[in-house]
Amino acid sequence: MRRIVVIDDCRLTLAIARDILEQGGYEVFTAESGIDANNIIYGAARPDLILLDVEMPMLRGDRKVQLLKKSERSRDIPVVLISNRPAAELAAIARACGADGYLVKPLRKDSLLEHLSRFVP
């Protein structure tokens, strides 16, 4: 089963993402910050993809992507940014930080599963 880590400081977004992804057949792990997610990302069960909010306290999502892509242990894990920002702005942030993709919130079942299937079939 494919593993996905969802990182967002909004518990509602985490719950929605978990429901959609579990219905799609994924094993889902959640964290409310990029720092809290480290034990999941660097643990024994390496994730197949990280879904990451841009706007978070302490460590912004785009900065977390940069750190993930610099680490030998996580650089190959696809990272998809999520945000309420306009698509063009979010696309520019994703390109600038090295994310593999992006999705505009609110998360919708069809678009989320279709987008992630490009990275984790």
Coordinates of all heavy atoms in Angstrom, one line a residue, residues 18-114:
R18 N -7.3 12.9 4.7 CA -7.3 11.5 5.1 C -8.4 10.7 4.6 O -8.2 9.6 4.0 CB -7.3 11.4 6.7 CG -7.3 10.0 7.2 CD -7.4 9.9 8.7 NE -6.3 10.4 9.4 CZ -5.1 9.7 9.5 NH1 -5.1 8.4 9.0 NH2 -4.1 10.2 10.2
D19 N -9.6 11.3 4.7 CA -10.8 10.5 4.1 C -10.7 10.2 2.7 O -10.9 9.1 2.2 CB -12.1 11.4 4.4 CG -12.5 11.4 5.9 OD1 -12.0 10.6 6.6 OD2 -13.4 12.2 6.2
I20 N -10.3 11.3 1.9 CA -10.2 11.1 0.4 C -9.1 10.1 0.1 O -9.4 9.2 -0.7 CB -9.9 12.4 -0.3 CG1 -11.1 13.4 -0.1 CG2 -9.5 12.2 -1.7 CD1 -10.8 14.8 -0.6
L21 N -8.0 10.2 0.7 CA -6.9 9.3 0.4 C -7.1 7.9 0.8 O -6.7 7.0 0.1 CB -5.6 9.9 0.9 CG -5.2 11.3 0.3 CD1 -4.0 11.9 1.1 CD2 -4.8 11.1 -1.1
E22 N -7.7 7.7 2.0 CA -7.9 6.3 2.4 C -9.0 5.7 1.5 O -8.8 4.5 1.2 CB -8.4 6.3 3.9 CG -7.2 6.6 4.9 CD -7.6 6.6 6.3 OE1 -8.8 6.7 6.6 OE2 -6.7 6.5 7.2
Q23 N -10.0 6.4 1.1 CA -10.9 5.9 0.1 C -10.2 5.5 -1.2 O -10.7 4.6 -1.9 CB -12.1 6.9 -0.1 CG -13.0 7.1 1.0 CD -14.0 8.2 0.7 OE1 -14.3 8.6 -0.4 NE2 -14.6 8.7 1.8
G24 N -9.2 6.3 -1.5 CA -8.4 6.0 -2.7 C -7.4 4.8 -2.6 O -6.7 4.5 -3.5
G25 N -7.4 4.2 -1.4 CA -6.5 3.1 -1.2 C -5.1 3.4 -0.7 O -4.3 2.5 -0.7
Y26 N -4.9 4.6 -0.2 CA -3.6 5.0 0.4 C -3.5 4.8 1.9 O -4.6 4.9 2.5 CB -3.3 6.4 0.0 CG -3.1 6.7 -1.5 CD1 -4.2 7.3 -2.2 CD2 -2.0 6.3 -2.2 CE1 -4.1 7.6 -3.5 CE2 -1.9 6.6 -3.5 CZ -2.9 7.2 -4.2 OH -2.8 7.5 -5.5
E27 N -2.4 4.6 2.4 CA -2.1 4.6 3.8 C -1.7 6.0 4.1 O -0.8 6.6 3.5 CB -1.0 3.6 4.2 CG -0.8 3.6 5.7 CD 0.3 2.5 6.1 OE1 1.0 2.0 5.2 OE2 0.5 2.3 7.3
V28 N -2.4 6.7 5.1 CA -2.2 8.1 5.3 C -1.7 8.4 6.7 O -2.2 7.8 7.7 CB -3.6 8.9 5.1 CG1 -3.4 10.4 5.4 CG2 -4.2 8.6 3.8
F29 N -0.7 9.3 6.8 CA -0.1 9.8 8.0 C -0.3 11.3 8.0 O -0.1 11.9 6.9 CB 1.4 9.4 8.1 CG 1.6 7.9 8.1 CD1 1.8 7.3 6.8 CD2 1.7 7.2 9.2 CE1 2.1 5.9 6.8 CE2 1.9 5.8 9.2 CZ 2.1 5.2 7.9
T30 N -0.6 11.9 9.1 CA -0.8 13.3 9.2 C 0.1 14.0 10.2 O 0.4 13.3 11.2 CB -2.3 13.7 9.5 OG1 -2.7 13.1 10.7 CG2 -3.2 13.1 8.4
A31 N 0.4 15.2 10.0 CA 1.1 16.0 11.0 C 0.7 17.5 10.8 O 0.3 17.9 9.7 CB 2.6 15.9 10.7
E32 N 0.7 18.2 11.9 CA 0.3 19.6 11.9 C 1.4 20.6 11.7 O 1.1 21.8 11.6 CB -0.5 19.9 13.2 CG -1.8 19.2 13.4 CD -2.6 19.5 14.6 OE1 -2.4 20.6 15.2 OE2 -3.4 18.7 15.0
S33 N 2.6 20.1 11.5 CA 3.7 21.0 11.1 C 4.8 20.2 10.4 O 4.9 19.0 10.6 CB 4.3 21.7 12.3 OG 5.1 20.8 13.1
G34 N 5.6 20.9 9.7 CA 6.7 20.2 9.0 C 7.7 19.6 10.0 O 8.3 18.6 9.7
I35 N 7.8 20.2 11.1 CA 8.7 19.7 12.2 C 8.2 18.4 12.7 O 8.9 17.4 12.9 CB 9.0 20.7 13.2 CG1 9.7 21.9 12.6 CG2 9.8 20.2 14.4 CD1 9.7 23.2 13.5
D36 N 6.8 18.4 13.0 CA 6.2 17.2 13.6 C 6.2 16.0 12.6 O 6.2 14.9 13.0 CB 4.7 17.5 13.9 CG 4.6 18.4 15.1 OD1 5.5 18.6 15.9 OD2 3.5 19.0 15.2
A37 N 6.3 16.3 11.3 CA 6.3 15.3 10.3 C 7.6 14.6 10.2 O 7.7 13.5 9.5 CB 5.9 15.9 9.0
N38 N 8.7 15.1 10.7 CA 10.0 14.5 10.5 C 10.1 13.1 11.0 O 10.7 12.2 10.3 CB 11.1 15.3 11.2 CG 11.4 16.6 10.4 OD1 11.2 16.7 9.3 ND2 12.0 17.5 11.1
N39 N 9.5 12.7 12.1 CA 9.5 11.4 12.6 C 8.8 10.4 11.6 O 9.1 9.2 11.6 CB 9.0 11.2 14.0 CG 7.5 11.6 14.1 OD1 6.9 12.3 13.3 ND2 6.9 11.2 15.2
I40 N 7.8 10.9 10.9 CA 7.1 10.1 9.9 C 8.0 10.0 8.6 O 8.2 8.9 8.1 CB 5.8 10.7 9.5 CG1 4.9 10.8 10.8 CG2 5.1 9.8 8.5 CD1 3.6 11.6 10.6
I41 N 8.5 11.1 8.1 CA 9.2 11.1 6.9 C 10.5 10.4 7.0 O 10.9 9.6 6.1 CB 9.5 12.6 6.5 CG1 8.2 13.3 6.2 CG2 10.5 12.7 5.3 CD1 8.3 14.8 6.1
Y42 N 11.2 10.5 8.1 CA 12.5 9.8 8.3 C 12.4 8.6 9.1 O 13.4 8.0 9.5 CB 13.5 10.8 8.9 CG 13.7 12.0 8.0 CD1 13.3 13.3 8.3 CD2 14.3 11.9 6.7 CE1 13.5 14.4 7.5 CE2 14.5 13.0 5.9 CZ 14.1 14.2 6.3 OH 14.3 15.3 5.4
G43 N 11.2 8.1 9.3 CA 11.0 6.8 10.1 C 11.3 5.6 9.3 O 11.7 5.7 8.1
A44 N 10.9 4.5 9.8 CA 11.1 3.2 9.2 C 10.3 3.0 7.9 O 10.8 2.4 7.0 CB 10.8 2.1 10.2
A45 N 9.1 3.5 7.9 CA 8.2 3.4 6.7 C 8.2 4.7 5.9 O 7.4 5.6 6.1 CB 6.8 3.1 7.2
R46 N 9.2 4.7 5.0 CA 9.3 5.9 4.2 C 8.1 6.2 3.3 O 7.5 5.3 2.7 CB 10.5 5.7 3.2 CG 10.8 6.7 2.2 CD 11.8 6.2 1.2 NE 11.7 6.8 -0.1 CZ 12.5 7.7 -0.6 NH1 13.5 8.1 0.1 NH2 12.2 8.2 -1.8
P47 N 7.6 7.5 3.3 CA 6.4 7.8 2.5 C 6.7 7.8 1.0 O 7.9 8.0 0.6 CB 6.1 9.2 3.0 CG 7.3 9.8 3.5 CD 8.1 8.6 4.0
D48 N 5.7 7.5 0.2 CA 5.8 7.6 -1.2 C 5.5 9.0 -1.8 O 5.8 9.3 -2.9 CB 4.8 6.6 -1.8 CG 5.1 5.2 -1.4 OD1 6.2 4.7 -1.8 OD2 4.3 4.5 -0.7
L49 N 4.9 9.8 -0.9 CA 4.5 11.2 -1.4 C 4.2 12.0 -0.1 O 3.8 11.5 0.9 CB 3.3 11.2 -2.3 CG 2.9 12.5 -2.8 CD1 2.7 12.5 -4.3 CD2 1.7 13.1 -2.1
I50 N 4.5 13.3 -0.2 CA 4.2 14.3 0.8 C 3.3 15.4 0.2 O 3.6 16.0 -0.8 CB 5.5 14.9 1.4 CG1 6.4 13.8 2.0 CG2 5.1 16.0 2.4 CD1 7.8 14.3 2.3
L51 N 2.2 15.6 0.9 CA 1.2 16.6 0.5 C 1.4 17.7 1.6 O 1.2 17.4 2.8 CB -0.2 16.0 0.5 CG -1.3 16.9 0.0 CD1 -1.1 17.1 -1.5 CD2 -2.7 16.1 0.2
L52 N 1.8 18.9 1.2 CA 2.3 19.9 2.2 C 1.7 21.3 2.0 O 1.7 21.8 0.9 CB 3.8 20.0 2.0 CG 4.6 21.0 2.8 CD1 4.5 20.7 4.3 CD2 6.1 20.8 2.3
D53 N 1.1 21.8 3.0 CA 0.5 23.2 3.0 C 1.6 24.2 2.9 O 2.7 24.0 3.5 CB -0.3 23.4 4.2 CG -1.1 24.7 4.2 OD1 -1.4 25.2 3.1 OD2 -1.4 25.2 5.3
V54 N 1.4 25.3 2.2 CA 2.4 26.3 2.1 C 2.4 27.2 3.4 O 3.5 27.5 4.0 CB 2.2 27.2 0.9 CG1 3.1 28.4 0.9 CG2 2.3 26.4 -0.4
E55 N 1.2 27.7 3.8 CA 1.1 28.6 4.9 C 1.0 27.9 6.2 O 0.0 27.4 6.6 CB -0.1 29.5 4.7 CG -0.1 30.3 3.5 CD 1.0 31.4 3.5 OE1 1.4 31.8 4.6 OE2 1.5 31.7 2.4
M56 N 2.1 27.8 6.9 CA 2.1 27.2 8.3 C 3.1 28.0 9.2 O 4.0 28.6 8.8 CB 2.6 25.7 8.2 CG 1.6 24.8 7.5 SD 2.1 23.1 7.6 CE 3.6 23.0 6.8
P57 N 2.7 27.9 10.5 CA 3.6 28.6 11.5 C 4.9 27.9 11.6 O 5.0 26.7 11.3 CB 2.8 28.6 12.7 CG 1.8 27.5 12.6 CD 1.6 27.3 11.1
M58 N 5.9 28.5 12.1 CA 7.2 28.0 12.4 C 8.1 27.7 11.2 O 9.1 28.2 11.0 CB 7.2 26.8 13.4 CG 6.7 27.1 14.7 SD 6.9 25.7 15.9 CE 5.9 24.4 15.1
L59 N 7.5 26.9 10.3 CA 8.3 26.5 9.1 C 7.3 26.4 7.9 O 6.5 25.5 7.9 CB 8.9 25.1 9.3 CG 9.8 24.5 8.2 CD1 11.0 25.4 7.9 CD2 10.2 23.1 8.5
R60 N 7.5 27.4 7.1 CA 6.6 27.4 5.9 C 6.8 26.2 5.0 O 7.9 25.6 5.0 CB 6.9 28.7 5.1 CG 6.4 30.0 5.7 CD 6.8 31.2 4.9 NE 6.6 31.0 3.5 CZ 5.5 31.4 2.8 NH1 4.5 31.9 3.5 NH2 5.4 31.2 1.5
G61 N 5.7 25.8 4.3 CA 5.8 24.7 3.4 C 6.9 24.8 2.3 O 7.6 23.8 2.1
D62 N 7.0 25.9 1.7 CA 8.0 26.1 0.7 C 9.4 25.9 1.2 O 10.3 25.3 0.6 CB 7.9 27.4 -0.1 CG 7.8 28.6 0.7 OD1 7.5 28.5 1.9 OD2 8.0 29.7 0.2
R63 N 9.7 26.4 2.4 CA 11.0 26.2 3.1 C 11.2 24.7 3.4 O 12.3 24.2 3.2 CB 11.1 27.0 4.3 CG 12.4 26.9 5.0 CD 13.6 27.4 4.2 NE 14.8 27.2 5.0 CZ 15.9 26.6 4.5 NH1 16.0 26.3 3.2 NH2 17.0 26.4 5.2
K64 N 10.2 24.0 3.8 CA 10.2 22.6 4.2 C 10.6 21.8 2.9 O 11.4 20.9 3.0 CB 8.9 22.1 4.8 CG 8.9 20.6 5.1 CD 9.8 20.3 6.2 CE 9.7 18.8 6.7 NZ 10.6 18.5 7.7
V65 N 10.0 22.2 1.8 CA 10.3 21.5 0.5 C 11.8 21.6 0.2 O 12.5 20.6 -0.1 CB 9.5 22.1 -0.7 CG1 10.0 21.5 -2.0 CG2 8.1 21.8 -0.5
Q66 N 12.4 22.8 0.4 CA 13.8 23.0 0.1 C 14.6 22.1 1.0 O 15.6 21.5 0.6 CB 14.2 24.5 0.4 CG 13.6 25.4 -0.7 CD 13.7 26.9 -0.3 OE1 13.9 27.2 0.8 NE2 13.7 27.7 -1.4
L67 N 14.3 22.0 2.3 CA 15.0 21.2 3.2 C 14.9 19.7 2.8 O 15.9 18.9 2.9 CB 14.5 21.4 4.7 CG 14.7 22.8 5.2 CD1 14.0 22.9 6.6 CD2 16.2 23.0 5.4
L68 N 13.7 19.3 2.4 CA 13.5 17.9 2.0 C 14.3 17.5 0.8 O 14.9 16.5 0.7 CB 12.0 17.6 1.7 CG 11.1 17.6 2.9 CD1 9.6 17.7 2.5 CD2 11.3 16.3 3.8
K69 N 14.4 18.5 -0.2 CA 15.1 18.2 -1.4 C 16.6 18.3 -1.2 O 17.3 17.7 -2.1 CB 14.6 19.2 -2.5 CG 13.2 19.0 -2.9 CD 12.9 17.6 -3.4 CE 11.4 17.5 -3.9 NZ 11.1 16.1 -4.4
K70 N 17.1 18.9 -0.2 CA 18.5 18.9 0.1 C 19.0 17.7 0.8 O 20.2 17.3 0.8 CB 18.9 20.1 1.0 CG 18.9 21.4 0.2 CD 19.3 22.6 1.1 CE 19.2 23.9 0.3 NZ 19.5 25.0 1.2
S71 N 18.1 17.0 1.5 CA 18.5 15.8 2.3 C 18.5 14.6 1.4 O 17.6 14.3 0.6 CB 17.5 15.6 3.4 OG 17.7 14.3 4.0
E72 N 19.6 13.8 1.5 CA 19.7 12.6 0.7 C 18.6 11.6 1.0 O 18.2 10.8 0.2 CB 21.1 12.0 1.0 CG 21.5 10.8 0.1 CD 22.9 10.3 0.3 OE1 23.8 11.1 0.5 OE2 23.0 9.1 0.3
R73 N 18.1 11.6 2.3 CA 17.1 10.6 2.7 C 15.7 10.9 2.2 O 14.9 10.1 2.2 CB 17.1 10.5 4.2 CG 18.4 10.0 4.8 CD 18.5 10.0 6.3 NE 17.3 9.4 6.9 CZ 17.0 9.7 8.2 NH1 17.6 10.5 8.9 NH2 15.9 9.0 8.7
S74 N 15.5 12.2 1.7 CA 14.2 12.6 1.3 C 14.1 13.2 0.0 O 13.0 13.5 -0.5 CB 13.5 13.5 2.4 OG 14.3 14.6 2.6
R75 N 15.2 13.5 -0.7 CA 15.1 14.2 -2.0 C 14.3 13.6 -3.1 O 13.8 14.3 -4.0 CB 16.5 14.6 -2.4 CG 17.3 13.4 -3.0 CD 18.6 13.8 -3.6 NE 19.4 14.7 -2.8 CZ 20.6 14.5 -2.4 NH1 21.3 13.4 -2.8 NH2 21.2 15.3 -1.5
D76 N 14.2 12.3 -3.0 CA 13.5 11.6 -4.1 C 12.0 11.4 -3.8 O 11.2 10.8 -4.6 CB 14.1 10.2 -4.4 CG 15.5 10.4 -4.9 OD1 15.8 11.3 -5.6 OD2 16.3 9.5 -4.6
I77 N 11.5 11.8 -2.6 CA 10.1 11.7 -2.3 C 9.3 12.9 -3.0 O 9.7 14.0 -2.8 CB 9.9 11.8 -0.8 CG1 10.6 10.7 -0.1 CG2 8.4 11.7 -0.5 CD1 10.6 10.8 1.5
P78 N 8.4 12.6 -3.8 CA 7.6 13.7 -4.5 C 6.9 14.5 -3.4 O 6.3 14.0 -2.4 CB 6.6 13.0 -5.4 CG 7.1 11.6 -5.5 CD 7.9 11.3 -4.3
V79 N 6.9 15.8 -3.6 CA 6.2 16.7 -2.7 C 5.2 17.6 -3.5 O 5.6 18.2 -4.5 CB 7.2 17.7 -2.0 CG1 6.4 18.6 -1.0 CG2 8.2 16.9 -1.2
V80 N 4.0 17.6 -3.1 CA 2.9 18.4 -3.7 C 2.5 19.4 -2.7 O 2.0 19.1 -1.6 CB 1.7 17.5 -4.2 CG1 0.6 18.4 -4.7 CG2 2.2 16.5 -5.2
L81 N 2.6 20.7 -3.1 CA 2.2 21.8 -2.3 C 0.7 22.0 -2.4 O 0.1 21.8 -3.5 CB 2.9 23.1 -2.7 CG 4.3 23.2 -2.3 CD1 4.9 24.6 -2.8 CD2 4.6 23.1 -0.8
I82 N 0.0 22.4 -1.3 CA -1.4 22.8 -1.3 C -1.5 24.2 -0.7 O -0.8 24.5 0.2 CB -2.3 21.7 -0.6 CG1 -1.8 21.5 0.8 CG2 -2.3 20.5 -1.4 CD1 -2.8 20.6 1.6
S83 N -2.5 24.9 -1.1 CA -2.7 26.3 -0.6 C -4.0 26.9 -1.1 O -4.5 26.4 -2.2 CB -1.5 27.2 -1.0 OG -1.8 28.5 -0.6
N84 N -4.5 27.9 -0.5 CA -5.6 28.7 -0.9 C -5.2 29.8 -1.9 O -6.1 30.4 -2.4 CB -6.3 29.3 0.3 CG -7.0 28.3 1.1 OD1 -7.6 27.4 0.7 ND2 -7.0 28.6 2.4
R85 N -4.0 29.9 -2.1 CA -3.5 31.0 -3.0 C -3.9 30.7 -4.5 O -4.2 29.5 -4.8 CB -2.0 31.0 -3.0 CG -1.4 31.5 -1.7 CD 0.1 31.5 -1.7 NE 0.6 32.0 -0.4 CZ 1.5 32.9 -0.3 NH1 2.2 33.3 -1.4 NH2 1.9 33.3 0.9
P86 N -4.0 31.7 -5.3 CA -4.3 31.5 -6.7 C -3.4 30.6 -7.4 O -2.2 30.5 -7.0 CB -4.2 32.9 -7.3 CG -4.4 33.9 -6.2 CD -3.8 33.1 -5.0
A87 N -3.9 29.8 -8.4 CA -3.1 28.8 -9.0 C -1.8 29.3 -9.6 O -0.8 28.6 -9.4 CB -3.9 28.1 -10.1
A88 N -1.8 30.4 -10.2 CA -0.6 31.0 -10.9 C 0.5 31.3 -9.8 O 1.7 31.0 -10.0 CB -0.9 32.2 -11.7
E89 N 0.0 31.8 -8.7 CA 1.0 32.2 -7.6 C 1.5 30.9 -7.0 O 2.7 30.8 -6.7 CB 0.2 33.0 -6.5 CG 1.1 33.5 -5.4 CD 0.3 34.3 -4.4 OE1 -0.8 34.8 -4.7 OE2 0.9 34.5 -3.3
L90 N 0.6 29.9 -6.7 CA 1.1 28.6 -6.2 C 2.0 27.9 -7.1 O 3.0 27.3 -6.6 CB -0.2 27.8 -5.8 CG 0.1 26.5 -5.1 CD1 0.9 26.7 -3.8 CD2 -1.2 25.8 -4.8
A91 N 1.8 27.9 -8.4 CA 2.7 27.3 -9.3 C 4.0 27.9 -9.3 O 5.1 27.2 -9.3 CB 2.1 27.4 -10.8
A92 N 4.1 29.2 -9.1 CA 5.4 29.9 -9.1 C 6.1 29.5 -7.8 O 7.4 29.3 -7.8 CB 5.2 31.4 -9.1
I93 N 5.4 29.4 -6.7 CA 6.0 29.0 -5.4 C 6.6 27.6 -5.5 O 7.7 27.3 -5.1 CB 5.0 29.1 -4.2 CG1 4.7 30.6 -4.0 CG2 5.6 28.4 -3.0 CD1 3.5 30.8 -3.1
A94 N 5.8 26.7 -6.1 CA 6.2 25.3 -6.3 C 7.5 25.2 -7.1 O 8.4 24.5 -6.8 CB 5.0 24.5 -6.9
R95 N 7.5 25.9 -8.2 CA 8.7 25.9 -9.1 C 9.9 26.5 -8.3 O 11.0 25.9 -8.4 CB 8.5 26.8 -10.3 CG 7.8 26.1 -11.5 CD 7.9 26.9 -12.8 NE 7.4 28.2 -12.6 CZ 6.1 28.6 -12.7 NH1 5.2 27.7 -12.9 NH2 5.8 29.9 -12.6
A96 N 9.7 27.6 -7.6 CA 10.9 28.2 -6.9 C 11.5 27.4 -5.8 O 12.7 27.4 -5.6 CB 10.4 29.6 -6.4
C97 N 10.6 26.6 -5.1 CA 11.2 25.8 -4.0 C 11.5 24.4 -4.4 O 12.1 23.7 -3.6 CB 10.2 25.8 -2.8 SG 8.7 24.9 -3.1
G98 N 11.1 23.9 -5.6 CA 11.5 22.6 -6.0 C 10.4 21.5 -5.8 O 10.7 20.3 -5.9
A99 N 9.2 22.0 -5.5 CA 8.1 21.0 -5.3 C 7.8 20.3 -6.6 O 8.1 20.8 -7.7 CB 6.9 21.7 -4.8
D100 N 7.3 19.1 -6.5 CA 7.0 18.3 -7.7 C 5.6 18.6 -8.3 O 5.3 18.2 -9.5 CB 7.1 16.8 -7.4 CG 8.4 16.5 -6.9 OD1 9.3 16.3 -7.7 OD2 8.7 16.4 -5.6
G101 N 4.8 19.3 -7.6 CA 3.4 19.6 -8.0 C 2.7 20.5 -7.0 O 3.3 20.9 -6.0
Y102 N 1.5 20.9 -7.4 CA 0.7 21.8 -6.5 C -0.8 21.5 -6.7 O -1.2 21.1 -7.8 CB 1.1 23.2 -6.7 CG 0.7 23.8 -8.1 CD1 -0.5 24.4 -8.3 CD2 1.6 23.6 -9.1 CE1 -0.9 24.8 -9.5 CE2 1.2 24.1 -10.4 CZ 0.0 24.7 -10.6 OH -0.4 25.1 -11.8
L103 N -1.6 21.8 -5.7 CA -3.0 21.8 -5.8 C -3.6 22.9 -5.0 O -3.2 23.2 -3.9 CB -3.6 20.5 -5.2 CG -3.5 19.3 -6.1 CD1 -3.9 18.0 -5.3 CD2 -4.5 19.4 -7.3
V104 N -4.6 23.6 -5.6 CA -5.3 24.7 -4.9 C -6.4 24.1 -4.0 O -7.2 23.2 -4.5 CB -5.9 25.7 -5.9 CG1 -6.7 26.8 -5.2 CG2 -4.8 26.3 -6.7
K105 N -6.5 24.6 -2.8 CA -7.6 24.2 -1.9 C -8.8 24.9 -2.3 O -8.7 26.0 -2.9 CB -7.2 24.6 -0.4 CG -6.1 23.8 0.2 CD -5.9 24.4 1.6 CE -4.7 23.8 2.3 NZ -4.6 24.4 3.7
P106 N -10.0 24.4 -2.0 CA -10.2 23.2 -1.1 C -9.9 21.9 -1.9 O -10.1 21.9 -3.1 CB -11.7 23.3 -0.8 CG -12.3 24.1 -1.9 CD -11.2 25.0 -2.4
L107 N -9.5 20.9 -1.2 CA -9.2 19.6 -1.8 C -10.5 18.9 -2.2 O -11.5 18.8 -1.5 CB -8.5 18.7 -0.8 CG -7.1 19.3 -0.3 CD1 -6.5 18.3 0.7 CD2 -6.2 19.5 -1.5
R108 N -10.5 18.5 -3.5 CA -11.6 17.7 -4.0 C -11.2 16.3 -4.4 O -10.1 16.2 -5.0 CB -12.2 18.5 -5.2 CG -12.9 19.8 -4.8 CD -13.5 20.5 -6.0 NE -14.4 21.6 -5.7 CZ -13.9 22.8 -5.2 NH1 -12.6 23.0 -5.1 NH2 -14.8 23.7 -4.9
K109 N -12.0 15.4 -4.2 CA -11.7 14.0 -4.3 C -11.1 13.7 -5.7 O -10.0 13.1 -5.8 CB -12.9 13.1 -4.0 CG -12.6 11.6 -4.2 CD -13.7 10.8 -3.8 CE -13.4 9.3 -3.9 NZ -14.5 8.4 -3.5
D110 N -11.8 14.0 -6.8 CA -11.4 13.6 -8.1 C -10.1 14.3 -8.5 O -9.2 13.6 -9.0 CB -12.5 14.0 -9.1 CG -13.7 13.2 -9.0 OD1 -13.6 12.1 -8.3 OD2 -14.8 13.6 -9.5
S111 N -9.9 15.6 -8.2 CA -8.7 16.3 -8.6 C -7.5 15.8 -7.8 O -6.4 15.7 -8.3 CB -8.9 17.8 -8.6 OG -9.2 18.2 -7.3
L112 N -7.8 15.6 -6.5 CA -6.7 15.2 -5.6 C -6.1 13.8 -6.0 O -4.9 13.6 -6.2 CB -7.1 15.1 -4.2 CG -6.1 14.6 -3.1 CD1 -4.8 15.4 -3.2 CD2 -6.7 14.6 -1.7
L113 N -7.0 12.8 -6.2 CA -6.6 11.5 -6.6 C -6.0 11.4 -7.9 O -5.0 10.7 -8.2 CB -7.8 10.5 -6.5 CG -8.3 10.3 -5.0 CD1 -9.5 9.4 -5.1 CD2 -7.2 9.7 -4.1
E114 N -6.5 12.2 -8.9 CA -6.0 12.2 -10.2 C -4.6 12.8 -10.2 O -3.6 12.3 -10.8 CB -6.9 13.1 -11.1 CG -6.3 13.2 -12.6 CD -7.1 14.1 -13.4 OE1 -8.4 14.3 -13.2 OE2 -6.6 14.7 -14.4

